């Protein structure tokens, strides 16, 4: 992750951590550190002494955290925490529907446990959750503070905008939520939701209470200060029990919103694709051998589909990021991995021809996919022809991008689908004649040789596809 260098400390400030002045995340070598001011340090020590927080840590629902003693003398903080490092930082617009829903349920479960113990969280952002494989984990330890009677949950609006509203949009309207979250780092505004859910749609589950009434209350209190609103709520008898009831109601609603994306062109690809059984077995053997030769580290599986090759790579890797463009296919993969208890494979929803850019403040608050995703092994199986022919990306640029995602000395495992292959012919049939004169095996191999050293090659038994293992920069 990129960061801002701090003189003489060896620390890099995380560019996505600046909105809470009471604590800030830093990186030092491979360590993830959090600096706390005096007030946040008191909140942390009360939190660390609580039974509920120890239970969350033991259950793996909150990222591993410990205070450093003594506090490093070269930092201007009252306390410094060290967190476990999450294998791969993903963004909510890269998650499938099931992932977003499970992240919302974890957020609510953590909040429910905190409220019952006299604590609360300062915010409700989807960005407070990351993943250990297919299991969500709450990472914003600096968000916990003591609850105050008569005050509502401060994170309710963020929770709605970045978690609940995207779930409502997809569950009730059938629209993929990812473009909404990618477009705005703060999520979907209530006034947008009111326009989407007018008329009879306002009666759908969760809409009247959390969209229309929420928006009306915001409009009514727009001119009032936060302290004045809190005073009004205390005078009206608002209590922690009401907040707990709200959280339980939200959890019940989110569980009802278990939307299953419909079938798509890619949903049954492994059955309908052109691979014969010998082709598939040869391909599996090639991937297994390449991953084993490279050893532990990160694997990036581009165009993961049902995760067949991600699972093979995971036998040898520390973790695998399985990138799939189709949200329905990625969601099916996530649910299967979740049910298996898989902790090494993380599904990610992304179009390889339009990967996640940097976003938020100054374009670096949320790092781009390219800045996060370099891997020791990159699997590019049956994707080159889709990018080069289907999306009109020049073949040299396709290979430049694949090489850029591979660490120097790492392995790029890439499949070239020959022009005479049925899948390539189908794509070429929809293009003007002569548009891709350089899409030939000889040109492809020349481009590979310019970017690394080919250490293994095999032609699949069908005779129309070739696999290569390239040591990038070698």
């Amino acid at each position: 992750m990129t960061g801002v260098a701090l003189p003489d400390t060896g620390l890099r400030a995380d560019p996505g951590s600046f909105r809470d002045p009471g604590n800030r995340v830093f990186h030092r070598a491979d360590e993830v550190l959090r600096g706390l001011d005096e007030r946040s340090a008191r909140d942390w020590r009360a939190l660390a002494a609580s039974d509920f927080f120890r239970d969350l840590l033991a259950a793996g629902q909150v990222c591993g955290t410990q205070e450093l003693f003594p506090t490093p003398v070269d930092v201007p903080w009252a306390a410094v925490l060290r967190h476990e490092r999450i294998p791969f930082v993903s963004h909510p617009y890269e998650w499938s529907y099931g992932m977003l829903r499970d992240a919302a349920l974890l957020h609510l479960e953590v909040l429910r446990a905190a409220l019952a113990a006299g604590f609360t969280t300062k915010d409700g952002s989807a960005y407070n959750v990351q993943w250990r494989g297919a299991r969500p984990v709450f990472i914003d330890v600096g968000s916990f503070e003591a609850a105050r009677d008569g005050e509502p949950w401060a994170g309710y609006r963020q929770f709605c905008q970045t978690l609940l509203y995207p779930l409502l949009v997809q569950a009730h309207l059938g629209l993929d939520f990812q473009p909404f979250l990618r477009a705005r780092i703060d999520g979907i505004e209530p006034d947008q939701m009111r326009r989407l859910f007018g008329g009879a749609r306002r009666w759908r589950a969760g809409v009247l209470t959390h969209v229309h009434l929420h928006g009306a209350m915001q409009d009514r209190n727009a001119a009032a200060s936060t302290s004045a609103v809190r005073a009004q709520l205390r005078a009206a008898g608002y209590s922690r029990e009401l907040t707990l009831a709200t959280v339980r109601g939200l959890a019940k609603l989110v569980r009802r919103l278990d939307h299953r994306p419909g079938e798509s062109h890619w949903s049954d690809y492994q059955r309908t694709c052109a691979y014969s059984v010998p082709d598939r077995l040869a391909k599996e053997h090639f991937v297994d051998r390449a991953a084993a030769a490279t050893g532990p580290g990160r694997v990036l599986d581009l165009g993961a589909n049902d995760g067949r090759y991600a699972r093979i790579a995971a036998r040898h890797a520390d973790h695998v990021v399985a990138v799939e463009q189709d949200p329905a296919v990625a969601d099916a993969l996530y649910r299967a991995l979740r049910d298996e208890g898989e902790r090494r494979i993380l599904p990610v929803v992304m179009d390889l021809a339009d990967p996640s850019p940097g976003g938020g403040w100054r374009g670096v608050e949320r790092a781009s996919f390219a800045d996060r995703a370099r891997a020791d092994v990159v699997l590019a199986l049956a994707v080159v022809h889709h990018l080069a022919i289907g999306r009109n990306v020049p073949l040299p640029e396709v290979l430049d991008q694949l090489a850029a995602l591979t660490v120097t000395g790492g392995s790029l495992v890439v499949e070239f689908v020959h022009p005479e292959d049925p899948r390539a012919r189908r794509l070429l049939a929809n293009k003007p004649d002569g548009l891709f004169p350089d899409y030939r095996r000889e040109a492809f191999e020349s481009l590979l040789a310019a970017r690394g050293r080919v250490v293994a090659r095999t032609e699949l038994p069908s005779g129309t596809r070739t696999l290569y293992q390239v040591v990038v920069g070698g």
Side-chain angles (χ1 to χ4, degrees):
M1 182 177 294
T2 59
V4 179
L6 301 179
D8 305 321
T9 64
L11 299 177
R12 292 179 295 111
D14 190 307
S17 172
F18 63 87
R19 295 184 182 271
D20 183 350
N23 68 96
R24 186 93 188 254
V25 174
F26 296 87
H27 300 269
R28 182 174 63 187
D30 290 333
E31 293 183 305
V32 180
L33 306 177
R34 185 185 299 269
L36 306 175
D37 67 8
E38 291 285 354
R39 178 176 176 177
S40 296
R42 289 194 299 271
D43 287 336
W44 154 251
R45 285 163 185 154
L47 178 70
S50 67
D51 291 336
F52 97 91
F53 186 69
R54 285 194 289 268
D55 290 344
L56 291 176
L57 285 173
Q61 293 175 297
V62 174
C63 67
T65 303
Q66 62 184 82
E67 185 172 350
L68 295 183
F69 294 107
T71 300
V73 296
D74 56 356
V75 295
W77 297 100
V80 175
L81 310 180
R82 179 166 56 208
H83 299 304
E84 68 170 292
R85 177 173 287 279
I86 299 300
F88 180 79
V89 174
S90 59
H91 302 323
Y93 43 85
E94 298 168 347
W95 302 346
S96 73
Y97 184 90
M99 294 174 75
L100 191 75
R101 177 177 174 270
D102 286 349
L105 289 172
L106 173 65
H107 213 306
L108 293 170
E109 174 56 26
V110 168
L111 177 60
R112 184 205 59 76
L115 288 168
F119 291 83
T120 188
T121 55
K122 300 175 187 176
D123 56 46
S125 172
Y127 294 93
N128 289 349
V129 176
Q130 283 298 325
W131 299 85
R132 298 189 195 97
R135 184 174 184 183
V137 55
F138 189 88
I139 64 168
D140 192 7
V141 173
S143 179
F144 291 99
E145 63 178 357
R148 292 177 287 274
D149 284 333
E151 293 189 8
W153 178 35
Y156 173 68
R157 177 187 173 101
Q158 274 188 323
F159 181 87
C160 287
Q161 292 186 187
T162 62
L163 288 159
L164 180 60
Y165 290 171
L167 292 173
L168 291 173
V169 163
Q170 186 150 354
H172 292 326
L173 303 182
L175 300 174
D176 289 333
F177 70 84
Q178 292 86 0
F180 290 88
L181 289 183
R182 176 167 158 171
R184 292 179 60 91
I185 194 171
D186 293 326
I188 309 174
E189 297 283 347
D191 62 338
Q192 291 178 298
M193 290 292 289
R194 289 199 297 270
R195 289 195 290 270
L196 288 170
F197 286 92
R201 288 176 176 172
R202 71 176 57 228
W203 305 111
R204 298 187 182 183
V207 173
L208 186 63
T209 299
H210 299 291
V211 174
H212 289 281
L213 293 181
H214 178 198
M217 289 185 65
Q218 281 191 309
D219 293 343
R220 188 180 68 186
N221 295 313
S225 66
T226 301
S227 59
V229 173
R230 288 173 175 170
Q232 292 173 14
L233 289 170
R234 281 193 294 270
Y238 192 91
S239 65
R240 193 186 313 165
E241 287 69 29
L242 286 174
T243 302
L244 272 167
T246 299
V247 171
R248 286 193 291 266
L250 282 168
K252 182 178 179 180
L253 169 63
V254 171
R255 290 189 185 97
R256 290 176 62 190
L257 297 174
D258 192 11
H259 170 75
R260 298 276 181 154
E263 293 295 311
S264 72
H265 171 71
W266 300 104
S267 297
D268 201 20
Y269 179 74
Q270 290 294 348
R271 184 180 65 81
T272 60
C273 69
Y275 292 113
S276 64
V277 171
D279 275 7
R280 182 175 291 116
L281 292 174
K283 189 171 177 178
E284 290 175 356
H285 177 68
F286 192 89
V287 170
D288 185 70
R289 188 174 55 193
T294 306
R298 174 185 293 169
V299 172
L300 195 59
D301 183 8
L302 305 177
N305 199 262
D306 66 358
R308 177 187 298 269
Y309 302 104
R311 286 182 171 89
I312 292 172
R315 299 170 186 167
H316 312 285
D318 293 324
H319 65 278
V320 179
V321 181
V323 181
E324 171 55 46
Q325 176 181 341
D326 190 311
V329 175
D331 197 60
L333 174 58
Y334 165 70
R335 291 172 190 262
L337 294 171
R338 179 192 62 190
D339 294 345
E340 295 164 14
E342 178 59 65
R343 304 293 173 84
R344 290 168 299 168
I345 303 174
L346 171 69
V348 167
V349 178
M350 193 181 313
D351 180 354
L352 294 173
D354 183 22
S356 301
W361 177 245
R362 301 179 71 181
V364 296
E365 186 176 358
R366 304 296 173 217
S368 71
F369 179 72
D371 285 339
R372 289 175 281 133
R374 296 192 74 210
D376 302 282
V377 177
V378 173
L379 304 180
L381 306 171
V383 298
V384 168
H385 61 301
H386 288 293
L387 294 172
I389 302 174
R391 304 298 287 275
N392 286 28
V393 181
L395 194 56
E397 294 202 22
V398 173
L399 291 178
D400 281 344
Q401 179 60 21
L402 297 179
L405 291 172
T406 312
V407 301
T408 301
S411 289
L412 169 61
V413 179
V414 60
E415 178 176 7
F416 183 70
V417 177
H418 303 185
E420 59 270 21
D421 183 90
R423 290 281 170 173
R425 287 205 310 268
R426 184 178 301 177
L427 290 172
L428 288 166
N430 296 318
K431 302 290 183 177
D433 291 340
L435 185 61
F436 302 100
D438 296 327
Y439 189 82
R440 318 184 309 277
R441 177 173 172 174
E442 296 77 11
F444 183 78
E445 291 184 347
S446 176
L447 291 169
L448 281 182
R451 288 156 180 81
R453 178 168 50 91
V454 177
V455 296
R457 174 189 359 232
T458 190
E459 187 168 307
L460 297 184
S462 65
T464 62
R465 299 187 178 211
T466 305
L467 299 173
Y468 304 84
Q469 181 186 357
V470 182
V471 175
V472 172

